[in-house]
Amino acid sequence: MKRIFSYPRLGAYLIQVSLQKTIAKNVRALRIGRGMRQSDIAVLTDLPRTYISHLEKGEVNVTVETIERIALALKVNPLILLIDEAFQSIT
């Protein structure tokens, strides 16, 4: 089997960063698409507005619980937050 990354830890880091950016992009797009402010999401999720801001910039590692809370606030399936934009267009 061919390895994609010669440094396994670096590969895991790149996948994590990519997923953080995907979640960030999706949360922001869905929030704006629903006419919501970061403070609206903060109130609905009981998270600080600054955390939502950092999340939308891809600066924080989100937990599964946080993904579920944000998905509930946005009224979407949590999986939607994890799917890259290119893939969403074919689903």
Side-chain angles (χ1 to χ4, degrees):
M1 175 180 241
K2 184 178 178 183
R3 289 174 89 174
I4 297 173
F5 302 104
S6 56
Y7 299 98
R9 288 186 181 177
L10 177 61
Y13 172 76
L14 293 174
I15 290 168
Q16 176 184 352
V17 169
S18 176
L19 188 55
Q20 281 176 269
K21 294 295 183 185
T22 297
I23 293 168
K25 187 172 40 172
N26 289 340
V27 168
R28 180 173 166 74
L30 288 164
R31 176 183 61 77
I32 290 171
R34 284 164 172 65
M36 299 174 81
R37 299 180 316 241
Q38 288 178 345
S39 57
D40 298 329
I41 301 295
V43 168
L44 292 170
T45 59
D46 198 30
L47 294 167
R49 189 211 51 82
T50 54
Y51 181 86
I52 303 300
S53 174
H54 290 294
L55 183 149
E56 288 186 359
K57 295 176 190 172
E59 297 174 346
V60 295
N61 288 323
V62 294
T63 64
V64 172
E65 178 187 356
T66 300
I67 290 171
E68 289 176 332
R69 289 162 68 180
I70 291 171
L72 185 63
L74 292 169
K75 298 181 181 173
V76 296
N77 186 313
L79 292 175
I80 296 298
L81 301 180
L82 306 174
I83 299 173
D84 189 42
E85 179 182 350
F87 181 73
Q88 284 184 7
S89 64
I90 61 172
T91 58

